[in-house]
């Protein structure tokens, strides 16, 4: 990473953003705009269109028309592949510019943003581009006087509601498979991090995606997101975000056309450290990185540290040391380990959780407060709270901030019991050199992904999806494709 290039990009003014509908940039129908604040300094960065329900309906109508006339689904797979490949190349060619814009918008440290945002988005789009001409239908094992064919068809119009922590990465998780299959998509980026994703959509058009196949509408979740959820013309709704919004989306679906809804929600992921971990120093550093990178604003963040009692104090001290060594600050400096919290509201919420944890008997061993307030930005010191009981708020509720709760355990069964004591089930991790114990933990901890002797970083070849109230369905890997197809049977008498 070249600091001079990053500084040059950050000095550029950011133009006002508008919706992308039918291949054109259009303002909100009532002319409304929203100020976009940068978490780096709390200053207004630019404005986006503040969409209305009518804007969302126009975007959905455009996507529907694009699907019905088969301007995309009707193209040969090789042609669709070419467009998506070119799109991935364009994302890569503009990676630094996209990453810097995204960081100015959402505050993620640039090192992580560059890899996780344009880097992973390009990889994801390419993965599904490569897959799209390898997806076959099936012939059923019927009696010989019948032919049973199972076709895999695109569902039609997909609505995708995206959060602010990794807009391009998560956007690509939905866009890649949805578009590869031939669907049209309407995107609703988050109000606090839409800019890089909107730019990424422009690049899709530049790559040759026909107008109308991908539309994007900015604005408030409760206005444009709700209009999408209640639409009679969205066939599948995919979402990453909070449990509260996920619940609402299911209600919207029930109240409208019973669209399929796939949710990737929060987590309270247990990171379990046994005394027989192969390398406790490494485990401590990984445990710190596993919660504090991107200020804890990572859905799979290892936010609960479960430590075997015999090593508890030493291990917590090592994690605290690793946390204190992570430099918090300006996310556009290449040596920053932890950037800004996305918004003031989120920061206040994080601090509230720390207060509650203390009132419930937890002890703050490092961090605990807001820092660098003179910058005008939103920064929080990585925070570790020990003595967190299984029924404490810090065990039960997702913070989505740089706050790690520590609980000690004495036996394998107790570790599993504490790990499974929440409504969530997104991710988890275990450190041990006992092979059987590792496999038992993978089997018994109720999550969508378990890490062994590492944490985070599972690549695009494996699915990510939650169980329990962490959601349903999977992003990533070939399994994600299921969400964007309908199976159709042709039953033919011979
Ligand atoms: P977070 O708390 O992480 O911001 P949210 O669930 O509030 O999570 O936001 C994730 C996405 O959901 C954002 O794009 C937001 O605009 C959208 N959203 C929020 N409320 C609603 C709603 N009522 N209907 C549809 N989308 C919503």
């Amino acid at each position: 990473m070249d600091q001079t290039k990053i500084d040059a990009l950050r000095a550029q003014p950011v133009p006002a953003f508008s919706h992308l509908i039918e291949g054109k940039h259009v303002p909100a129908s009532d002319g409304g705009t929203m100020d976009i604040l940068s978490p780096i300094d709390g200053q207004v960065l630019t404005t986006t269109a503040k969409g209305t329900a009518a804007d969302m309906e126009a975007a959905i109508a455009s996507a529907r028309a694009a699907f019905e006339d088969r301007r995309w689904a009707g193209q040969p797979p090789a042609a669709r592949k070419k467009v998506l490949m070119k799109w991935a190349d364009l994302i890569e060619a503009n990676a630094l510019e996209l990453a810097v814009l995204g960081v100015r918008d959402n505050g993620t440290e640039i090192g992580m943003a560059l890899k996780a945002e344009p880097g992973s988005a390009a990889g994801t789009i390419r993965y599904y581009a490569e897959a799209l001409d390898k997806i076959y239908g099936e012939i059923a094992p019927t009696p010989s006087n019948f032919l049973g064919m199972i076709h895999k068809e695109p569902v039609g119009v997909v609505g995708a509601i995206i959060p602010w922590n990794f807009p391009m990465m998560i956007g690509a998780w939905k866009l890649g498979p949805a578009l590869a299959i031939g669907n049209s998509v309407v995107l609703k980026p988050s109000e606090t991090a839409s800019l890089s994703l909107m730019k990424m959509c422009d690049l899709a058009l530049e790559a040759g995606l026909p107008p109308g196949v991908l539309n994007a509408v900015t604005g408030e979740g409760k206005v444009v997101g709700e209009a999408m959820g209640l639409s009679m013309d969205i066939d599948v709704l995919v979402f990453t975000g909070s449990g509260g919004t996920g619940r609402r989306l299911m209600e919207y679906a029930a109240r409208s056309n019973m669209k399929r809804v796939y949710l990737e929600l929060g987590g309270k992921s247990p990171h379990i450290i046994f005394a027989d971990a192969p390398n406790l120093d490494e485990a401590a550093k990984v445990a710190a990185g596993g919660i504090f990178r991107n200020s804890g604003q990572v859905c799979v963040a290892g936010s609960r540290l479960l430590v075997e009692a015999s090593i508890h104090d030493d291990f917590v001290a090592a994690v605290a040391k690793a946390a204190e060594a992570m430099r918090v600050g300006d996310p556009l400096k290449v040596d920053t380990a932890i950037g800004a919290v996305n918004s003031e509201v989120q920061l206040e919420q994080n601090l509230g959780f720390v207060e509650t944890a203390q009132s419930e008997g937890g002890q703050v061993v490092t961090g605990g407060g807001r820092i660098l307030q003179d910058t005008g930005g939103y920064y929080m010191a990585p925070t570790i709270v020990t003595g967190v009981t299984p029924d404490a708020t810090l065990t039960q509720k997702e913070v989505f901030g740089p706050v790690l709760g520590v609980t000690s355990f004495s036996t394998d069964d107790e570790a599993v019991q504490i790990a499974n004591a929440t409504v969530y089930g997104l991710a988890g991790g275990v450190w041990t050199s006992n092979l059987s114990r590792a496999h038992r933990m993978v089997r018994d901890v109720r999550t969508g992904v378990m890490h062994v002797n590492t944490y985070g970083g599972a690549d695009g070849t494996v699915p990510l999806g939650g169980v329990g109230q962490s959601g349903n369905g999977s992003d990533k890997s070939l399994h994600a494709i299921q969400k964007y197809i309908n199976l159709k049977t042709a039953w033919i008498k011979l």
Side-chain angles (χ1 to χ4, degrees):
M1 280 188 303
D2 180 338
Q3 187 67 58
T4 321
K5 276 192 195 150
I6 293 169
D7 291 343
L9 285 167
R10 87 182 307 174
Q12 290 177 6
V14 181
F17 276 64
S18 42
H19 305 316
L20 177 66
I21 301 178
E22 197 65 19
K24 295 192 184 68
H25 293 132
V26 291
S29 48
D30 64 0
T33 60
M34 291 190 300
D35 281 345
I36 300 301
L37 302 185
S38 175
I40 298 176
D41 55 11
Q43 299 296 307
V44 176
L45 186 59
T46 184
T47 61
T48 61
K50 187 174 183 185
T52 61
D55 297 343
M56 179 52 77
E57 278 148 25
I60 295 169
S62 160
R64 173 59 60 191
F67 184 71
E68 296 301 335
D69 71 17
R70 302 186 66 77
R71 70 186 78 158
W72 177 241
Q75 291 191 23
R80 280 189 272 131
K81 172 187 271 194
K82 208 167 164 186
V83 170
L84 295 182
M85 285 294 202
K86 181 149 184 224
W87 186 21
D89 290 346
L90 285 171
I91 294 169
E92 241 164 37
N94 291 279
L96 192 64
E97 192 184 337
L98 289 165
V100 171
L101 179 65
V103 170
R104 293 171 80 187
D105 197 10
N106 84 342
T108 303
E109 54 277 3
I110 185 72
M112 173 171 255
L114 197 56
K115 258 192 260 152
E117 286 282 273
S120 114
T124 299
I125 303 292
R126 201 169 280 134
Y127 179 91
Y128 292 105
E130 285 167 346
L132 70 81
D133 56 0
K134 297 165 193 75
I135 298 163
Y136 292 77
E138 294 166 24
I139 305 286
T142 56
S144 63
N145 55 334
F146 284 96
L147 175 62
M149 300 174 77
I150 304 164
H151 295 280
K152 292 180 176 169
E153 299 189 322
V155 296
V157 180
V158 172
I161 300 180
I162 309 298
W164 43 259
N165 55 340
F166 293 104
M168 294 180 70
M169 176 176 85
I170 295 172
W173 287 350
K174 322 288 190 200
L175 288 167
L179 291 171
I181 298 299
N183 296 290
S184 296
V185 181
V186 181
L187 263 191
K188 209 306 269 171
S190 165
E191 33 291 64
T192 58
S194 58
L195 308 182
S196 55
L197 185 54
M198 294 301 280
K199 275 267 181 225
M200 187 172 116
C201 294
D202 288 348
L203 296 178
L205 268 94
E206 198 180 321
L209 193 73
V213 174
L214 170 57
N215 296 323
V217 175
T218 50
E220 292 178 323
K222 61 179 190 287
V223 178
V224 285
E226 178 174 295
M228 177 184 273
L230 288 171
S231 168
M232 297 300 286
D233 226 7
I234 293 277
D235 299 293
V236 165
L237 188 57
V238 287
F239 171 73
T240 298
S242 64
T245 302
R247 199 178 286 277
R248 252 178 239 123
L249 297 180
M250 293 182 113
E251 284 173 21
Y252 298 155
R255 279 162 51 198
S256 54
N257 63 345
M258 297 194 279
K259 55 183 72 65
R260 268 156 48 196
V261 180
Y262 295 103
L263 307 171
E264 203 259 83
L265 307 172
K268 196 74 216 188
S269 300
H271 199 166
I272 306 168
I273 317 293
F274 283 95
D276 69 355
N279 183 339
L280 282 167
D281 286 340
E282 189 195 340
K285 285 189 191 118
V286 172
I291 173 66
F292 297 130
R293 300 302 306 277
N294 200 17
S295 300
Q297 302 165 139
V298 178
C299 55
V300 298
S303 55
R304 288 192 291 145
L305 191 63
L306 275 51
V307 187
E308 191 165 357
S310 60
I311 56 163
H312 177 275
D313 294 356
D314 288 348
F315 191 76
V316 170
V319 180
K321 194 170 156 214
E324 285 155 11
M326 295 175 85
R327 211 180 72 83
V328 183
D330 181 347
L332 285 172
K333 293 282 176 224
V334 295
D335 57 351
T336 291
I338 303 174
V341 172
N342 181 250
S343 66
E344 185 122 39
V345 173
Q346 185 66 40
L347 179 56
E348 290 300 328
Q349 219 169 282
N350 298 346
L351 297 172
F353 272 106
V354 177
E355 238 172 72
T356 305
Q358 285 172 301
S359 72
E360 292 177 359
Q363 294 98 45
V364 173
V365 295
T366 186
R370 182 173 186 168
I371 53 173
L372 305 173
Q373 205 157 351
D374 55 329
T375 60
Y378 321 131
Y379 299 91
M380 181 168 170
T383 301
I384 300 177
V385 185
T386 53
V388 177
T389 57
D391 59 351
T393 306
L394 202 54
T395 298
Q396 297 298 330
K397 298 264 187 250
E398 183 180 45
V399 178
F400 218 62
V403 183
L404 178 65
V406 187
T407 308
S408 83
F409 69 86
S410 299
T411 64
D412 292 36
D413 284 351
E414 197 190 357
V416 170
Q417 206 181 1
I418 298 170
N420 289 342
T422 75
V423 297
Y424 296 111
L426 190 56
V430 59
W431 290 71
T432 175
S433 27
N434 178 328
L435 186 65
S436 303
R437 171 182 272 160
H439 284 291
R440 280 200 307 273
M441 289 291 147
V442 169
R443 184 193 64 196
D444 295 342
V445 179
R446 204 179 55 121
T447 61
V449 53
M450 272 303 277
H451 305 88
V452 179
N453 296 335
T454 182
Y455 198 91
D459 72 13
T461 61
V462 289
L464 172 67
V467 298
Q469 291 186 31
S470 287
N472 63 342
S474 299
D475 285 320
K476 307 199 299 174
S477 85
L478 295 179
H479 293 284
I481 289 170
Q482 316 301 333
K483 298 190 291 191
Y484 305 101
I485 56 175
N486 286 331
L487 297 179
K488 179 188 262 177
T489 295
W491 186 252
I492 301 166
K493 187 164 187 308
L494 301 179

